[in-house]
Amino acid sequence: MTRKRIGFFTRLLDDTSAQQRYRLATEQIQHAERNGFDSVWIAQHHFHEKEGGLPSPLLFLAHVAAHTRTIRLGTGIITLAMENALRVAEDAAVLDLLSNGRLEVGLGSGGTATSFLPFGITIDQRASVFADHLHQLLSAWRGDTLGHPDNHLYPAAPTLAQRVWIATFSAEGAARAGQAGHGLMLSRTQPRPAGQPDLPLDQMQNPMIDAYLSALPAGIAPRILASRTAFVADSRDYARRLAEPGLQRQAQHFRESGHVIGHTLDEQARQLDAHFGDADQVRQSLLADTSLQRVTDISFQVHSIDPPHADTLRSIELIAEHIAPALRG
């Protein structure tokens, strides 16, 4: 069995200024590298600081590259429909050189509806724009001519197209990612179908994995990344105390979007797919997730619990010592 890769994911949501968010995230990533994590993944969000603190993921990862040595650097995700595809291709090519080939490029079409408007599109156009921009991006990395026979991407990045990951909530999207030979990115949680608020996440994501694997061309190794909320503390009571306010906020946000979410902490943890507690409790909770047995990569995030920085660092240590060995297989 191939060794599962373990990652750390951050949306840069520490309760402080933007500058401090970037400093603390860098420290968390360095700590993950010291503790043997294989990868880091950072999200992109425009305008809305409570959803995510970083509009420029490739720029931030260039900074991280200078302060790390081995950890792989992933975007989870770049909202490609809002971007100039050729500029993404160029910036990624430069970053990959600066980081000695450590870049992983996660892409998606999602985002807050109002965030699309300043970029001249609406959320209803995102799928078609994403497909067009993805075609441009891959064409540039392949070395195709760009608008004129004299124009080619510089610096060249012929291997980046083999490190693309596509985020999706659907089996149809997973099949498209597989057919193209890309990696598949599975979310830490996703809204349940109407009338099924307690449907386990793995029952939603296993069909996506099935669709991806069925569509993957022969000879292409699968790449499947599952993100999971996991906060590990030295005591269960302490973990519950820190988890409650963050999960209540997320539950209220889901309710405002029309979803049914329970009011007790245990209901919210189950319906929002949050794993928290001491190491034994979190390990057993994660091992019960059957989809994690089928993926090649797992990335852990503390969102939407969002504990203080010191507790995030401690959770990284406990995951590395007690959780990662059990999941790696």
Side-chain angles (χ1 to χ4, degrees), residues 110-131:
T112 303
T114 58
S115 296
F116 288 90
L117 301 177
F119 295 96
I121 62 172
T122 67
I123 194 168
D124 295 332
Q125 298 171 295
R126 62 179 176 171
S128 61
V129 175
F130 174 82

Side-chain angles (χ1 to χ4, degrees), residues 122-144:
T122 67
I123 194 168
D124 295 332
Q125 298 171 295
R126 62 179 176 171
S128 61
V129 175
F130 174 82
D132 181 57
H133 287 189
L134 179 58
H135 175 77
Q136 294 179 45
L137 185 69
L138 297 175
S139 176
W141 286 338
R142 283 196 301 262
D144 296 346

